[in-house]
Amino acid sequence: QLKMLKKNAEEGLKENPPYIKNVSAMLRSAFAIAVEKAFPKTGVAKLVQVGPSSHPRFGDYQCNAAMAINKALQNSSLNPRSIADRIVANFPIDPFGLVDKFEVAGPGFINIYMGKEFVVEEIRSYMINGVKPRPVKPLRVMVDFSSPNVAKEMHVGHLRSTIIGEVISRLIEYQGHHLLRINHIGDWGTQFGMLIAYLKEKYTDGFPDRMEVHELQESYKESKKRFDSDEDFKKRAYQAVVKLQNKEKEHYDAWKWICNTSRLEFEKIYKRLGVTILERGESFYQDYMVKIVKFLESGNFLEEDEGRKVMFPKAKGLIPLTIVKSDGGFTYDTSDMAAIKQRVEDENLDWIVYVTDGGQATHFQVIFDCAERAGILDRTKVRVQHVCFGVVLGEDKKKFKTRSGDTVRLRELLDEGVKRARDKLLEKGRDKEMTEEELLQAQESLAYGCIKYSDLAHNRNHEYLFSFDKMLDDKGNTAVYLLYAYTRIKSIARKADVSEEQLRDYAKSSAFEISHEKELKLSKTLLKFPEVLDRILEDLYIHPLCELMYDICTSFTEFYDSCYCIEVDKPTGLKTVNMNRLVLCEATAVLLKQCFDLLGIRPVSKM
Ligand code: ARG
């Protein structure tokens, strides 16, 4: 961004490019230039950091590099304050009027006050161009998420992976990258031989047309019992595995039937949550697994260990991967090694993201390490990231289970959410102002919105307490609060009888200005979006986006409480509309809508 800024400055351009600008990053680059000019060839420019101020009396942003630079330079004729002065004096040309003024404070803090013109131009751009991200070189990215297991109930862990993975996918697509969303379902392995052998015994006249996933899971448990206690059954199960691996019709069809039964259930959940994902499960890698074993063997990477073939990572103290089991079968490790090779070499990916619970952190650490060791992965070229998350707890602070200790069925959980959301709307008497159609829409938006948001608003690494009561609370940082705020903002323009078109035209005109302190505060909060976005794309922690949405809504409330947008003259009933403020309402709505879209939450106009 700075290069462009410099180029524009050199050419005397003051054109505002049609995308959103990361104020923190622009300031950081400008300060790095200033420091390089003030202290050439000392290498201290890399010490520059700029962040939002902790309090408005310290400006909008702060650069606290002077202290660190002073330490690094060890020049007795300087002190942090004089260093700060020199940095400020060398600040490059600022064609956008990004900075209104600097203030050197305390031991050498540089407080930065943003220029109002810059803020006006940005809001104008939000209105004219929408919230368009800065163009980047498109990368080839894969997000491996959701990934439930066939013949098992999809559990709350998979729900978290689905919710978080979907948002990460949306963010990456929004940034303009090429994205593959992959559902790495557990659909392969010796357990399927077991299950097929069992089902063939149970349904001698062919499998039923329909079966619920929980019934399949029961069969799965039964088959495991048989496998462990009955030698004959065990033999048959092994034979079934071999037949399946050779794709012999009867067994292959049985396996397809099992996968299909599960898939129908998964798809229902995805549809309800608005998730799109391409199924490419472990079975996809069967041939690749055969190949990876040969590849690792020929590279001498495998060691014998009690009949197993294992691979040790370079890092000490980590457990090795089991590449081949003592019975010759493959494992979860084998499939992930095969998958990473296929992804790096065939898919040509620049960036791979895996979304699973924190329990698998070591697994991925070892996979990445072994892939590097085997020369499959070069982490300076391909970015691999394991995005993990904490366990889901119930209201009793214990692992989320039903009263009887079973896994909670996702479908039932979603149903309950919808019911609770409906109750909430009825409790507020909203049914009196809505058609049944609108009510149905609102209850789903609310239910899924709440379930997603309460997950996303927390630091994903932490344990997460699942509570419908908390998520349906309309106070605090909840989806309910935000969705209501959004509908309220939208209704302001409606009440004023001003169309979006008119607002946009007004924003384009020179009449548009920002004057009231609360207008400015709201605007500056909106302008934080690009820096929050850029940061998320680095570390893939999503909660800062939720915090920003909450800040936007609270700033909006402050603004709305002290700034009239529409004034009605009581005796005549005449309306005076403040267009500047309506533009701000609309800009807020536009940005909030973008945030909701990124989070996969569907706001409705009536709620
Ligand atoms: N099926 C796995 C589970 O339920 C998650 C798979 C994640 N992806 C991967 N490439 N290992 O835990």
Side-chain angles (χ1 to χ4, degrees):
Q1 273 188 72
L2 197 82
K3 259 198 206 130
M4 168 223 72
L5 196 143
K6 252 173 77 182
K7 196 169 149 275
N8 283 352
E10 278 156 14
E11 292 170 3
L13 292 176
K14 222 189 141 182
E15 184 96 8
N16 196 8
Y19 52 77
I20 56 178
K21 294 175 207 69
N22 178 336
V23 175
S24 266
M26 283 170 82
L27 286 171
R28 198 185 321 113
S29 330
F31 270 103
I33 292 180
V35 170
E36 190 55 39
K37 256 174 61 200
F39 308 99
K41 303 206 169 78
T42 52
V44 290
K46 63 172 186 298
L47 297 174
V48 169
Q49 292 215 6
V50 175
S53 294
S54 53
H55 193 278
R57 66 171 178 272
F58 305 133
D60 299 311
Y61 289 85
Q62 251 189 349
C63 171
N64 300 338
M67 280 69 87
I69 291 174
N70 182 52
K71 227 179 183 174
L73 289 178
Q74 293 190 320
N75 179 335
S76 56
S77 67
L78 290 169
N79 61 49
R81 271 195 85 101
S82 61
I83 290 174
D85 285 332
R86 228 203 259 184
I87 297 173
V88 166
N90 281 286
F91 197 79
I93 314 171
D94 173 13
F96 297 135
L98 181 58
V99 181
D100 175 39
K101 64 169 192 204
F102 296 111
E103 208 174 64
V104 174
F109 298 120
I110 304 171
N111 300 341
I112 307 152
Y113 293 83
M114 238 183 183
K116 200 160 86 181
E117 265 322 293
F118 176 82
V119 179
V120 169
E121 286 313 312
E122 281 302 284
I123 299 294
R124 198 196 299 281
S125 167
Y126 279 32
M127 290 294 291
I128 301 171
N129 308 303
V131 196
K132 263 208 215 93
R134 168 172 40 92
V136 291
K137 179 178 157 263
L139 301 173
R140 289 183 59 82
V141 193
M142 179 185 287
V143 181
D144 170 328
F145 70 107
S146 189
S147 309
N149 300 312
V150 162
K152 284 194 194 157
E153 204 71 70
M154 196 171 172
H155 56 69
V156 278
H158 296 124
L159 178 65
R160 286 206 83 181
S161 175
T162 309
I163 290 173
I164 296 170
E166 174 66 26
V167 177
I168 290 176
S169 300
R170 284 173 184 237
L171 284 158
I172 289 173
E173 275 170 340
Y174 175 64
Q175 185 69 277
H177 298 302
H178 301 300
L179 181 71
L180 267 171
R181 300 145 162 260
I182 291 295
N183 201 1
H184 190 87
I185 58 169
D187 63 355
W188 205 242
T190 34
Q191 72 270 29
F192 288 98
M194 221 159 65
L195 183 56
I196 291 170
Y198 178 84
L199 291 172
K200 283 178 109 24
E201 205 175 81
K202 186 164 171 193
Y203 301 103
T204 40
D205 299 334
F207 296 169
D209 283 344
R210 280 185 157 272
M211 198 190 253
E212 295 281 322
V213 170
H214 67 95
E215 290 176 76
L216 207 50
Q217 183 160 344
E218 294 303 312
S219 299
Y220 176 73
K221 282 185 193 148
E222 285 301 315
S223 71
K224 183 141 179 39
K225 264 192 223 146
R226 291 286 303 279
F227 186 85
D228 292 334
S229 59
D230 179 342
E231 277 304 313
D232 261 2
F233 181 80
K234 196 168 182 170
K235 245 184 237 144
R236 257 179 298 163
Y238 271 125
Q239 281 162 1
V241 176
V242 175
K243 285 183 183 162
L244 177 59
Q245 269 169 2
N246 296 334
K247 306 202 171 153
E248 280 180 33
K249 186 161 174 15
E250 209 191 320
H251 285 71
Y252 198 60
D253 283 350
W255 171 76
K256 279 199 283 199
W257 178 88
I258 296 171
C259 292
N260 217 20
T261 305
S262 299
R263 188 177 298 125
L264 290 175
E265 181 70 25
F266 300 157
E267 276 170 358
K268 273 187 217 144
I269 306 276
Y270 296 141
K271 186 152 180 263
R272 292 176 77 169
L273 295 176
V275 169
T276 42
I277 190 163
L278 178 72
E279 183 184 315
R280 188 188 280 173
E282 291 174 28
S283 64
F284 173 88
Y285 300 98
Q286 168 62 21
D287 297 342
Y288 295 90
M289 288 195 261
V290 177
K291 278 193 236 152
I292 191 87
V293 174
K294 286 205 189 107
F295 174 82
L296 294 176
E297 251 166 357
S298 67
N300 272 328
F301 294 115
L302 301 187
E303 286 167 43
E304 287 285 325
D305 174 65
E306 296 178 9
R308 301 179 306 155
K309 286 177 187 160
V310 301
M311 176 169 180
F312 278 94
K314 286 172 291 175
K316 295 278 163 278
L318 290 173
I319 36 143
L321 298 176
T322 301
I323 300 294
V324 185
K325 289 194 290 185
S326 52
D327 63 10
F330 300 146
T331 69
Y332 188 50
D333 295 348
T334 327
S335 71
D336 265 325
M337 282 301 277
I340 201 165
K341 192 165 191 293
Q342 190 272 345
R343 290 168 182 188
V344 173
E345 294 174 2
D346 299 359
E347 298 291 350
N348 234 316
L349 297 170
D350 304 297
W351 184 10
I352 313 173
V353 181
Y354 298 80
V355 188
T356 79
D357 61 281
Q360 300 195 34
T362 324
H363 167 75
F364 285 106
Q365 196 188 346
V366 180
I367 291 285
F368 299 159
D369 184 315
C370 285
E372 276 203 302
R373 192 187 151 208
I376 295 167
L377 171 70
D378 176 353
R379 292 181 86 161
T380 63
K381 296 207 177 79
V382 180
R383 177 172 164 195
V384 285
Q385 245 171 319
H386 176 223
V387 167
C388 46
F389 50 82
V391 286
V392 183
L393 304 179
E395 310 241 25
D396 55 0
K397 303 225 167 72
K398 294 208 188 85
K399 236 178 149 179
F400 196 58
K401 287 267 156 78
T402 61
R403 285 229 175 93
S404 55
D406 293 331
T407 28
V408 177
R409 278 189 213 138
L410 286 197
R411 208 189 334 158
E412 286 166 14
L413 189 75
L414 297 185
D415 287 344
E416 186 181 346
V418 173
K419 195 191 154 291
R420 296 260 207 142
R422 186 182 186 90
D423 292 347
K424 183 94 197 173
L425 291 165
L426 296 184
E427 182 192 302
K428 288 180 172 254
R430 306 300 299 161
D431 51 323
K432 294 181 192 73
E433 287 153 56
M434 280 193 242
T435 62
E436 178 60 22
E437 175 93 8
E438 284 171 332
L439 190 63
L440 283 174
Q441 262 185 18
Q443 75 193 31
E444 295 210 343
S445 152
L446 197 57
Y448 305 144
C450 285
I451 293 174
K452 289 175 183 178
Y453 190 82
S454 68
D455 188 325
L456 298 165
H458 293 93
N459 180 319
R460 59 173 163 78
N461 271 340
H462 299 169
E463 297 179 328
Y464 152 59
L465 202 133
F466 194 99
S467 156
F468 277 123
D469 287 338
K470 278 214 185 100
M471 56 179 89
L472 285 165
D473 196 345
D474 42 22
K475 283 176 277 313
N477 188 4
T478 65
V480 187
Y481 173 74
L482 296 182
L483 286 167
Y484 273 116
Y486 179 77
T487 41
R488 197 160 46 114
I489 298 169
K490 287 299 279 183
S491 72
I492 297 167
R494 245 200 331 260
K495 261 187 229 139
D497 276 330
V498 180
S499 70
E500 284 171 24
E501 200 55 50
Q502 283 170 302
L503 286 174
R504 222 166 301 137
D505 283 343
Y506 182 82
K508 273 186 207 164
S509 75
S510 57
F512 173 55
E513 59 167 6
I514 294 174
S515 41
H516 194 282
E517 171 215 347
K518 298 290 182 192
E519 296 172 12
L520 202 58
K521 185 179 169 195
L522 171 63
S523 307
K524 285 175 182 171
T525 313
L526 299 179
L527 265 48
K528 291 251 162 69
F529 175 69
E531 59 198 58
V532 170
L533 186 72
D534 282 349
R535 202 164 122 215
I536 297 181
L537 284 159
E538 277 307 309
D539 59 21
L540 304 181
Y541 280 92
I542 299 157
H543 63 279
L545 184 58
C546 301
E547 278 158 20
L548 178 68
M549 290 170 81
Y550 185 62
D551 281 351
I552 290 173
C553 289
T554 49
S555 303
F556 184 86
T557 306
E558 268 181 52
F559 151 80
Y560 195 62
D561 285 349
S562 36
C563 300
Y564 283 113
C565 295
I566 312 166
E567 263 179 295
V568 184
D569 183 50
K570 284 257 168 67
T572 61
L574 237 59
K575 262 193 266 184
T576 329
V577 168
N578 184 320
M579 285 299 273
N580 287 321
R581 290 173 181 170
L582 280 187
V583 166
L584 276 189
C585 292
E586 181 60 17
T588 307
V590 166
L591 184 58
L592 275 180
K593 177 69 170 58
Q594 182 61 62
C595 294
F596 280 127
D597 283 349
L598 287 169
L599 298 185
I601 297 175
R602 228 173 301 157
V604 282
S605 51
K606 264 193 183 173
M607 176 153 276

